[in-house]
Amino acid sequence: MSFSTLLELESCPRRWALKWAEYSGLWEGRGYPLLPVQSSLEGTVVHRAIGRINAAISAKGCTSVRDASAVTALRELGGYTVVIKECIIEGLRSYATNPRALPVLETIRQRLTARLPELRSLVQMHVSRLTLGDQAPNTTRLRKSRSPMGRRPLVDGTYTELEVRDAAIGWQGFIDFLSLSATVCEIRDFKTGSPKPADNLQISAYAVLWSADAELNPTRRCANRLILSYSQHETEIPAPNDEAMAVLREELRQRTATALESIAQELPDARPGVDNCAFCPVRHLCDEYWNWLPNSSAVLETPQPYFSDVEVTLTGRHGPLSWDGCMYDPIASRHTNILMRTANLQFELRTGQRLRLLNVHINVPQQVDDQKESHICVVKMGTTSEAFLCSP
């Protein structure tokens, strides 16, 4: 169990089950193929770049990025921009065999590249805050516990993407940055988004896992600094003492048991709602979502026209890239005729097919009178839209 998995299970057990079910007939990857999300990829790029830069300047024996030898280390890497470009390539490489990602991968790459100045500033800001402690010259203090050499007692130094485990409660987590010295044991979590209520609990949970990891931390040394590093500021929260960690550890154990029970059912509960469903990567597979959507506030309270998801039935071809069909119009509380303009389709369309469309532009015409005549609603697919064919 991890902190992110726990939050996902508590939020919607059905989403977790649909994401991690087996789809061997669809692709060779694990779970359902997920669409690349730019904000998540930006976070991945920033974390990787910080780790690479930290490794390089630590290897020079620097105590901070302001040391003269840190300039040499950065120059050898090619500079911030080169490092970030390389991390973008690495981040997108994992989607190379993802059938869902292929149609939008180039668009995502272009958008990330266009964000290079902002990503560079973000990485520079996070790196400038790091205190690396006393380093032995020409000795890399980076340890990644994903490697075979990582599961052994850690010496003073800095570590990025460090996996920590509490075997007794079955938990693991990845600490963004751990700094160890004679007097300081600092856990730092890099955040590329806005502060969230769960951030404090997450980094406190990492302190629990670090304290309980008998392989990396056999002396049970406790963290004495917990830092949440945001884009505009950093926040230090009180490090939990032994009593507080025992309470938090028990809370994690109990919440884990409840969460695992929620997915033990043959069909785990779905919990449709704006917060849960707006960015759910498997909502097209969830019937409860489509039953909830037409009359939800996400549609009824949205100014016209709007972007949303919609289920349509095709009634005939209208043109080379357009089809006639019908959908349920929640504004008018009835089914209505539509004109669907297509893009990025990965399969052939035929009359009678039922489609679930994600992230489409919907323009519902204004009602001009009280007659029950059919008004044509235009549903337009764009570069980020997706279409999924429903079973007959």
Side-chain angles (χ1 to χ4, degrees), residues 2 4-9 11-24 26-27 29-35 37 40 95 98 100 263 268 276 279-286:
S2 67
S4 59
T5 298
L6 177 65
L7 294 188
E8 186 168 28
L9 287 172
S11 175
C12 182
R14 178 75 61 83
R15 178 175 59 198
W16 185 91
L18 289 173
K19 279 179 63 175
W20 299 112
E22 183 179 346
Y23 299 92
S24 56
L26 186 58
W27 74 318
R30 179 171 173 260
Y32 195 84
L34 303 180
L35 199 64
V37 178
S40 296
Y95 292 94
N98 182 329
R100 193 176 174 191
I263 57 169
N276 282 345
F279 300 103
C280 174
V282 288
R283 61 190 186 275
H284 56 289
L285 302 175
C286 180

Side-chain angles (χ1 to χ4, degrees), residues 88-386:
I88 289 175
I89 293 173
E90 292 174 5
L92 294 177
R93 189 175 295 140
S94 62
Y95 292 94
T97 61
N98 182 329
R100 193 176 174 191
L102 292 178
V104 299
L105 212 52
E106 178 57 24
T107 298
I108 294 291
R109 186 195 66 77
Q110 292 175 0
R111 290 178 178 177
L112 288 173
T113 302
R115 289 268 299 159
L116 268 172
E118 292 82 2
L119 295 176
R120 175 191 169 101
S121 296
L122 196 56
V123 172
Q124 285 178 310
M125 180 274 300
H126 282 298
V127 171
S128 70
R129 295 172 177 167
L130 301 181
T131 301
L132 305 181
D134 296 330
Q135 304 288 337
N138 301 317
T139 301
T140 301
R141 292 294 186 178
L142 177 69
R143 297 285 192 277
K144 286 192 177 182
S145 63
R146 290 169 176 162
S147 68
M149 296 298 292
R151 303 305 301 175
R152 62 183 184 184
L154 302 184
V155 297
D156 287 354
T158 58
Y159 305 83
T160 60
E161 298 179 37
L162 182 73
E163 183 184 16
V164 285
R165 306 170 183 171
D166 185 340
I169 62 173
W171 264 67
Q172 65 172 15
F174 285 91
I175 294 176
D176 288 344
F177 181 86
L178 175 70
S179 180
L180 299 175
S181 70
T183 58
V184 174
C185 176
E186 176 187 306
I187 294 175
R188 180 176 289 264
D189 204 25
F190 302 116
K191 299 295 184 183
T192 54
S194 302
K196 299 179 179 63
D199 292 347
N200 287 17
L201 180 61
Q202 181 180 18
I203 197 170
S204 296
Y206 290 159
V208 171
L209 299 182
W210 160 250
S211 175
D213 195 317
E215 294 175 304
L216 301 185
N217 184 22
T219 63
R220 307 288 180 173
R221 182 180 184 182
C222 296
N224 55 19
R225 292 197 71 197
L226 302 182
I227 308 293
L228 292 167
S229 183
Y230 297 100
S231 58
Q232 300 299 322
H233 68 282
E234 60 180 10
T235 301
E236 181 170 358
I237 69 169
N241 57 25
D242 290 341
E243 182 179 356
M245 284 197 291
V247 171
L248 178 53
R249 195 164 182 258
E250 179 59 20
E251 177 188 340
L252 296 178
R253 189 193 65 77
Q254 292 181 5
R255 289 175 62 175
T256 298
T258 302
L260 292 178
E261 185 178 345
S262 72
I263 57 169
Q265 309 171 45
E266 183 175 348
L267 187 62
D269 289 340
R271 298 169 184 169
V274 175
D275 292 339
N276 282 345
C277 300
F279 300 103
C280 174
V282 288
R283 61 190 186 275
H284 56 289
L285 302 175
C286 180
D287 290 337
E288 279 77 1
Y289 167 71
W290 294 94
N291 292 333
W292 164 85
L293 178 65
N295 294 303
S296 72
S297 60
V299 172
L300 297 178
E301 299 176 6
T302 302
Q304 307 297 317
Y306 60 98
F307 282 90
S308 186
D309 305 333
V310 65
E311 187 172 278
V312 305
T313 299
L314 301 182
T315 57
R317 181 180 287 277
H318 187 92
L321 296 175
S322 60
W323 283 76
D324 296 318
C326 65
M327 73 171 197
Y328 180 75
D329 179 5
I331 307 298
S333 298
R334 60 181 169 82
H335 283 83
T336 185
N337 295 327
I338 68 161
L339 172 63
M340 184 180 80
R341 302 190 186 279
T342 63
N344 302 324
L345 287 176
Q346 305 299 306
F347 54 88
E348 183 179 352
L349 298 181
R350 295 191 301 273
T351 300
Q353 288 177 329
R354 184 165 57 95
L355 307 176
R356 287 177 173 174
L357 307 177
L358 306 185
N359 301 320
V360 292
H361 184 264
I362 301 174
N363 189 357
V364 180
Q366 297 294 318
Q367 185 79 23
V368 295
D369 52 43
D370 295 331
Q371 299 180 5
K372 296 182 179 180
E373 58 182 281
S374 296
H375 293 267
I376 299 298
C377 169
V378 178
V379 175
K380 183 179 180 180
M381 298 182 65
T383 55
T384 61
S385 301
E386 295 183 280

